[in-house]
PDB file of all heavy atoms in Angstrom:
ATOM      1  N   GLU A  18       0.837  -1.204   0.054  1.00 83.00           N
ATOM      2  CA  GLU A  18       0.019   0.011  -0.015  1.00 83.00           C
ATOM      3  C   GLU A  18       0.857   1.235  -0.061  1.00 83.00           C
ATOM      4  O   GLU A  18       1.941   1.318   0.435  1.00 83.00           O
ATOM      5  CB  GLU A  18      -1.051  -0.055   1.178  1.00 83.00           C
ATOM      6  CG  GLU A  18      -0.340   0.052   2.574  1.00 83.00           C
ATOM      7  CD  GLU A  18      -1.413   0.025   3.687  1.00 83.00           C
ATOM      8  OE1 GLU A  18      -2.544  -0.313   3.346  1.00 83.00           O
ATOM      9  OE2 GLU A  18      -1.089   0.222   4.804  1.00 83.00           O
ATOM     10  N   GLU A  19       0.234   2.253  -0.563  1.00 82.00           N
ATOM     11  CA  GLU A  19       0.850   3.621  -0.643  1.00 82.00           C
ATOM     12  C   GLU A  19       1.232   4.073   0.904  1.00 82.00           C
ATOM     13  O   GLU A  19       0.534   3.755   1.868  1.00 82.00           O
ATOM     14  CB  GLU A  19      -0.112   4.529  -1.072  1.00 82.00           C
ATOM     15  CG  GLU A  19       0.267   5.928  -1.411  1.00 82.00           C
ATOM     16  CD  GLU A  19      -1.003   6.693  -2.044  1.00 82.00           C
ATOM     17  OE1 GLU A  19      -1.974   6.202  -2.285  1.00 82.00           O
ATOM     18  OE2 GLU A  19      -0.667   7.897  -2.471  1.00 82.00           O
ATOM     19  N   GLN A  20       2.375   4.671   0.994  1.00 84.00           N
ATOM     20  CA  GLN A  20       2.962   4.935   2.360  1.00 84.00           C
ATOM     21  C   GLN A  20       2.276   6.316   2.731  1.00 84.00           C
ATOM     22  O   GLN A  20       2.180   7.301   2.049  1.00 84.00           O
ATOM     23  CB  GLN A  20       4.426   5.204   2.275  1.00 84.00           C
ATOM     24  CG  GLN A  20       4.970   5.441   3.632  1.00 84.00           C
ATOM     25  CD  GLN A  20       6.517   5.502   3.560  1.00 84.00           C
ATOM     26  OE1 GLN A  20       7.183   5.533   2.408  1.00 84.00           O
ATOM     27  NE2 GLN A  20       7.148   5.757   4.637  1.00 84.00           N
ATOM     28  N   ILE A  21       1.850   6.383   4.031  1.00 84.00           N
ATOM     29  CA  ILE A  21       1.485   7.612   4.689  1.00 84.00           C
ATOM     30  C   ILE A  21       2.629   8.229   5.342  1.00 84.00           C
ATOM     31  O   ILE A  21       3.276   7.572   6.145  1.00 84.00           O
ATOM     32  CB  ILE A  21       0.307   7.307   5.692  1.00 84.00           C
ATOM     33  CG1 ILE A  21      -0.961   6.826   4.822  1.00 84.00           C
ATOM     34  CG2 ILE A  21      -0.003   8.498   6.521  1.00 84.00           C
ATOM     35  CD1 ILE A  21      -2.066   6.448   5.760  1.00 84.00           C
ATOM     36  N   GLN A  22       2.861   9.552   4.988  1.00 84.00           N
ATOM     37  CA  GLN A  22       4.066  10.090   5.577  1.00 84.00           C
ATOM     38  C   GLN A  22       3.742  11.309   6.595  1.00 84.00           C
ATOM     39  O   GLN A  22       4.768  11.739   7.171  1.00 84.00           O
ATOM     40  CB  GLN A  22       4.787  10.728   4.374  1.00 84.00           C
ATOM     41  CG  GLN A  22       5.304   9.554   3.468  1.00 84.00           C
ATOM     42  CD  GLN A  22       6.141  10.134   2.320  1.00 84.00           C
ATOM     43  OE1 GLN A  22       6.578  11.244   2.240  1.00 84.00           O
ATOM     44  NE2 GLN A  22       6.286   9.294   1.199  1.00 84.00           N
ATOM     45  N   ALA A  23       2.507  11.632   6.715  1.00 83.00           N
ATOM     46  CA  ALA A  23       2.218  12.700   7.681  1.00 83.00           C
ATOM     47  C   ALA A  23       1.738  12.149   9.042  1.00 83.00           C
ATOM     48  O   ALA A  23       1.719  10.991   9.291  1.00 83.00           O
ATOM     49  CB  ALA A  23       1.061  13.640   7.050  1.00 83.00           C
ATOM     50  N   LYS A  24       1.387  12.974   9.917  1.00 87.00           N
ATOM     51  CA  LYS A  24       0.933  12.552  11.191  1.00 87.00           C
ATOM     52  C   LYS A  24      -0.342  11.706  11.096  1.00 87.00           C
ATOM     53  O   LYS A  24      -1.354  12.073  10.372  1.00 87.00           O
ATOM     54  CB  LYS A  24       0.481  13.910  12.102  1.00 87.00           C
ATOM     55  CG  LYS A  24       0.122  13.493  13.505  1.00 87.00           C
ATOM     56  CD  LYS A  24      -0.336  14.638  14.232  1.00 87.00           C
ATOM     57  CE  LYS A  24      -0.893  14.208  15.576  1.00 87.00           C
ATOM     58  NZ  LYS A  24      -1.779  15.175  16.071  1.00 87.00           N
ATOM     59  N   PHE A  25      -0.340  10.499  11.754  1.00 90.00           N
ATOM     60  CA  PHE A  25      -1.342   9.531  11.671  1.00 90.00           C
ATOM     61  C   PHE A  25      -2.487   9.864  12.657  1.00 90.00           C
ATOM     62  O   PHE A  25      -2.187  10.220  13.763  1.00 90.00           O
ATOM     63  CB  PHE A  25      -0.893   8.160  12.043  1.00 90.00           C
ATOM     64  CG  PHE A  25      -1.755   6.955  11.615  1.00 90.00           C
ATOM     65  CD1 PHE A  25      -1.779   6.418  10.383  1.00 90.00           C
ATOM     66  CD2 PHE A  25      -2.634   6.560  12.625  1.00 90.00           C
ATOM     67  CE1 PHE A  25      -2.542   5.490  10.037  1.00 90.00           C
ATOM     68  CE2 PHE A  25      -3.388   5.436  12.344  1.00 90.00           C
ATOM     69  CZ  PHE A  25      -3.485   4.942  11.028  1.00 90.00           C
ATOM     70  N   VAL A  26      -3.611   9.918  12.163  1.00 95.00           N
ATOM     71  CA  VAL A  26      -4.932  10.282  13.063  1.00 95.00           C
ATOM     72  C   VAL A  26      -5.927   9.174  12.941  1.00 95.00           C
ATOM     73  O   VAL A  26      -6.214   8.626  11.914  1.00 95.00           O
ATOM     74  CB  VAL A  26      -5.451  11.592  12.559  1.00 95.00           C
ATOM     75  CG1 VAL A  26      -6.759  11.968  13.289  1.00 95.00           C
ATOM     76  CG2 VAL A  26      -4.476  12.762  12.471  1.00 95.00           C
ATOM     77  N   LYS A  27      -6.457   8.826  14.059  1.00 95.00           N
ATOM     78  CA  LYS A  27      -7.636   7.950  14.230  1.00 95.00           C
ATOM     79  C   LYS A  27      -8.787   8.817  14.312  1.00 95.00           C
ATOM     80  O   LYS A  27      -9.095   9.456  15.259  1.00 95.00           O
ATOM     81  CB  LYS A  27      -7.547   7.049  15.463  1.00 95.00           C
ATOM     82  CG  LYS A  27      -8.660   6.018  15.583  1.00 95.00           C
ATOM     83  CD  LYS A  27      -8.406   4.844  14.734  1.00 95.00           C
ATOM     84  CE  LYS A  27      -8.635   3.518  15.484  1.00 95.00           C
ATOM     85  NZ  LYS A  27      -8.420   2.390  14.807  1.00 95.00           N
ATOM     86  N   TYR A  28      -9.741   8.866  13.235  1.00 95.00           N
ATOM     87  CA  TYR A  28     -10.821   9.741  13.104  1.00 95.00           C
ATOM     88  C   TYR A  28     -12.090   9.126  13.706  1.00 95.00           C
ATOM     89  O   TYR A  28     -12.843   9.785  14.527  1.00 95.00           O
ATOM     90  CB  TYR A  28     -11.120  10.050  11.696  1.00 95.00           C
ATOM     91  CG  TYR A  28     -10.099  10.861  10.946  1.00 95.00           C
ATOM     92  CD1 TYR A  28      -9.356  10.173  10.039  1.00 95.00           C
ATOM     93  CD2 TYR A  28      -9.826  12.270  11.229  1.00 95.00           C
ATOM     94  CE1 TYR A  28      -8.280  11.026   9.353  1.00 95.00           C
ATOM     95  CE2 TYR A  28      -8.897  12.963  10.607  1.00 95.00           C
ATOM     96  CZ  TYR A  28      -8.129  12.430   9.638  1.00 95.00           C
ATOM     97  OH  TYR A  28      -7.148  13.075   9.089  1.00 95.00           O
ATOM     98  N   ILE A  29     -12.288   7.858  13.567  1.00 94.00           N
ATOM     99  CA  ILE A  29     -13.471   7.069  13.964  1.00 94.00           C
ATOM    100  C   ILE A  29     -13.071   5.684  14.360  1.00 94.00           C
ATOM    101  O   ILE A  29     -12.459   5.025  13.521  1.00 94.00           O
ATOM    102  CB  ILE A  29     -14.613   7.042  12.996  1.00 94.00           C
ATOM    103  CG1 ILE A  29     -15.126   8.421  12.556  1.00 94.00           C
ATOM    104  CG2 ILE A  29     -15.801   6.225  13.545  1.00 94.00           C
ATOM    105  CD1 ILE A  29     -16.140   8.479  11.559  1.00 94.00           C
ATOM    106  N   HIS A  30     -13.430   5.206  15.507  1.00 89.00           N
ATOM    107  CA  HIS A  30     -12.989   3.907  15.917  1.00 89.00           C
ATOM    108  C   HIS A  30     -14.102   2.972  15.407  1.00 89.00           C
ATOM    109  O   HIS A  30     -15.194   3.420  15.178  1.00 89.00           O
ATOM    110  CB  HIS A  30     -12.899   3.816  17.426  1.00 89.00           C
ATOM    111  CG  HIS A  30     -12.418   2.589  17.901  1.00 89.00           C
ATOM    112  ND1 HIS A  30     -13.229   1.473  18.168  1.00 89.00           N
ATOM    113  CD2 HIS A  30     -11.254   2.116  18.303  1.00 89.00           C
ATOM    114  CE1 HIS A  30     -12.514   0.476  18.703  1.00 89.00           C
ATOM    115  NE2 HIS A  30     -11.301   0.838  18.816  1.00 89.00           N
ATOM    116  N   ASN A  31     -13.847   1.658  15.242  1.00 83.00           N
ATOM    117  CA  ASN A  31     -14.870   0.851  14.637  1.00 83.00           C
ATOM    118  C   ASN A  31     -15.845   0.329  15.787  1.00 83.00           C
ATOM    119  O   ASN A  31     -16.737  -0.378  15.461  1.00 83.00           O
ATOM    120  CB  ASN A  31     -14.254  -0.398  14.008  1.00 83.00           C
ATOM    121  CG  ASN A  31     -13.348  -1.289  14.858  1.00 83.00           C
ATOM    122  OD1 ASN A  31     -12.871  -0.806  15.839  1.00 83.00           O
ATOM    123  ND2 ASN A  31     -13.286  -2.552  14.513  1.00 83.00           N
ATOM    124  N   GLY A  32     -15.684   0.759  16.947  1.00 83.00           N
ATOM    125  CA  GLY A  32     -16.648   0.501  18.073  1.00 83.00           C
ATOM    126  C   GLY A  32     -17.799   1.436  18.204  1.00 83.00           C
ATOM    127  O   GLY A  32     -18.788   1.165  18.885  1.00 83.00           O
ATOM    128  N   GLU A  33     -17.652   2.598  17.658  1.00 87.00           N
ATOM    129  CA  GLU A  33     -18.572   3.705  17.801  1.00 87.00           C
ATOM    130  C   GLU A  33     -18.735   4.508  16.613  1.00 87.00           C
ATOM    131  O   GLU A  33     -17.617   4.807  15.983  1.00 87.00           O
ATOM    132  CB  GLU A  33     -18.215   4.660  18.933  1.00 87.00           C
ATOM    133  CG  GLU A  33     -18.255   4.041  20.372  1.00 87.00           C
ATOM    134  CD  GLU A  33     -19.743   3.830  20.878  1.00 87.00           C
ATOM    135  OE1 GLU A  33     -20.573   4.639  20.532  1.00 87.00           O
ATOM    136  OE2 GLU A  33     -19.899   2.991  21.709  1.00 87.00           O
ATOM    137  N   PRO A  34     -19.911   4.940  16.046  1.00 90.00           N
ATOM    138  CA  PRO A  34     -20.038   5.710  14.889  1.00 90.00           C
ATOM    139  C   PRO A  34     -19.974   7.200  15.239  1.00 90.00           C
ATOM    140  O   PRO A  34     -20.878   7.909  14.728  1.00 90.00           O
ATOM    141  CB  PRO A  34     -21.447   5.269  14.367  1.00 90.00           C
ATOM    142  CG  PRO A  34     -22.225   5.028  15.532  1.00 90.00           C
ATOM    143  CD  PRO A  34     -21.177   4.327  16.503  1.00 90.00           C
ATOM    144  N   THR A  35     -18.988   7.533  16.025  1.00 93.00           N
ATOM    145  CA  THR A  35     -18.861   8.955  16.456  1.00 93.00           C
ATOM    146  C   THR A  35     -17.409   9.336  16.286  1.00 93.00           C
ATOM    147  O   THR A  35     -16.567   8.409  16.284  1.00 93.00           O
ATOM    148  CB  THR A  35     -19.282   9.086  17.954  1.00 93.00           C
ATOM    149  OG1 THR A  35     -18.590   8.240  18.701  1.00 93.00           O
ATOM    150  CG2 THR A  35     -20.858   8.813  18.126  1.00 93.00           C
ATOM    151  N   PRO A  36     -17.183  10.644  16.206  1.00 94.00           N
ATOM    152  CA  PRO A  36     -15.739  11.139  16.056  1.00 94.00           C
ATOM    153  C   PRO A  36     -14.926  10.542  17.346  1.00 94.00           C
ATOM    154  O   PRO A  36     -15.336  10.615  18.472  1.00 94.00           O
ATOM    155  CB  PRO A  36     -15.722  12.608  16.178  1.00 94.00           C
ATOM    156  CG  PRO A  36     -17.189  12.960  15.622  1.00 94.00           C
ATOM    157  CD  PRO A  36     -18.104  11.819  16.222  1.00 94.00           C
ATOM    158  N   PHE A  37     -13.670  10.056  16.946  1.00 95.00           N
ATOM    159  CA  PHE A  37     -12.688   9.541  17.976  1.00 95.00           C
ATOM    160  C   PHE A  37     -11.881  10.803  18.520  1.00 95.00           C
ATOM    161  O   PHE A  37     -11.452  10.674  19.637  1.00 95.00           O
ATOM    162  CB  PHE A  37     -11.871   8.537  17.392  1.00 95.00           C
ATOM    163  CG  PHE A  37     -11.034   7.639  18.394  1.00 95.00           C
ATOM    164  CD1 PHE A  37     -11.679   6.889  19.263  1.00 95.00           C
ATOM    165  CD2 PHE A  37      -9.726   7.837  18.428  1.00 95.00           C
ATOM    166  CE1 PHE A  37     -10.905   6.151  20.254  1.00 95.00           C
ATOM    167  CE2 PHE A  37      -8.945   7.118  19.322  1.00 95.00           C
ATOM    168  CZ  PHE A  37      -9.574   6.259  20.239  1.00 95.00           C
ATOM    169  N   VAL A  38     -11.664  11.862  17.718  1.00 95.00           N
ATOM    170  CA  VAL A  38     -10.950  12.950  18.063  1.00 95.00           C
ATOM    171  C   VAL A  38     -11.954  13.938  18.852  1.00 95.00           C
ATOM    172  O   VAL A  38     -13.093  13.928  18.377  1.00 95.00           O
ATOM    173  CB  VAL A  38     -10.341  13.637  16.878  1.00 95.00           C
ATOM    174  CG1 VAL A  38      -9.257  12.824  16.260  1.00 95.00           C
ATOM    175  CG2 VAL A  38     -11.304  14.071  15.881  1.00 95.00           C
ATOM    176  N   PRO A  39     -11.518  14.651  19.865  1.00 96.00           N
ATOM    177  CA  PRO A  39     -12.402  15.472  20.628  1.00 96.00           C
ATOM    178  C   PRO A  39     -12.730  16.747  19.888  1.00 96.00           C
ATOM    179  O   PRO A  39     -11.988  17.165  19.036  1.00 96.00           O
ATOM    180  CB  PRO A  39     -11.570  15.814  21.922  1.00 96.00           C
ATOM    181  CG  PRO A  39     -10.219  15.578  21.470  1.00 96.00           C
ATOM    182  CD  PRO A  39     -10.075  14.582  20.425  1.00 96.00           C
ATOM    183  N   PRO A  40     -13.875  17.313  20.126  1.00 95.00           N
ATOM    184  CA  PRO A  40     -14.241  18.714  19.700  1.00 95.00           C
ATOM    185  C   PRO A  40     -13.092  19.756  19.924  1.00 95.00           C
ATOM    186  O   PRO A  40     -12.592  19.558  21.016  1.00 95.00           O
ATOM    187  CB  PRO A  40     -15.556  19.038  20.338  1.00 95.00           C
ATOM    188  CG  PRO A  40     -16.074  17.812  20.814  1.00 95.00           C
ATOM    189  CD  PRO A  40     -14.974  16.877  21.213  1.00 95.00           C
ATOM    190  N   GLY A  41     -12.807  20.488  19.065  1.00 95.00           N
ATOM    191  CA  GLY A  41     -11.733  21.479  19.223  1.00 95.00           C
ATOM    192  C   GLY A  41     -10.451  21.013  18.582  1.00 95.00           C
ATOM    193  O   GLY A  41      -9.601  21.814  18.331  1.00 95.00           O
TER     194      GLY A  41
END
């Protein structure tokens, strides 16, 4: 797979259909 070179972020976890990152 294509390489990701920037900061890695988890946006949504597979256990909840809500943002994993906090507001703000």
Side-chain angles (χ1 to χ4, degrees):
E18 64 182 13
E19 187 176 2
Q20 185 177 7
I21 292 180
Q22 298 180 17
K24 181 184 175 206
F25 194 86
V26 177
K27 179 84 133 179
Y28 297 104
I29 301 174
H30 188 274
N31 61 333
E33 292 285 330
T35 57
F37 192 69
V38 294

